[in-house]
Amino acid sequence: MNTTLNVPDISCNHCKDTIEGAVGQLEGIETVQVDVEQRTVAVAFDETEISLPQIVAALDKAGYEVAS
Ligand SMILES: [Cu+2]
């Protein structure tokens, strides 16, 4: 499954590294790509291994709130 999340607090490449590291290490994540200019996180994941709320929670734990 592919989804793109809006994360308004993304501001620089440090944010990109933090988010890609935090989400990328989760079980079931196939790819994670942060677009700093668009302030989005594009995630491809295996929904039999991880759910979207778990990804949102991991972002929250890393300090980034997902905009609904
Ligand atoms: Cu930053």
Side-chain angles (χ1 to χ4, degrees):
M1 184 176 183
N2 291 287
T3 192
T4 302
L5 305 168
N6 291 309
V7 183
D9 290 343
I10 293 171
S11 59
C12 67
N13 281 320
H14 177 72
C15 300
K16 177 179 165 80
D17 290 346
T18 302
I19 290 170
E20 289 180 351
V23 176
Q25 70 177 2
L26 300 172
E27 200 82 30
I29 298 292
E30 288 155 2
T31 62
V32 51
Q33 200 158 23
V34 172
D35 186 317
V36 174
E37 284 181 13
Q38 301 296 321
R39 296 181 178 162
T40 57
V41 181
V43 192
F45 61 100
D46 181 343
E47 65 263 51
T48 66
E49 292 186 42
I50 191 165
S51 68
L52 189 53
Q54 286 175 291
I55 296 168
V56 171
L59 279 164
D60 198 60
K61 198 176 156 196
Y64 296 92
E65 203 177 322
V66 176
S68 52

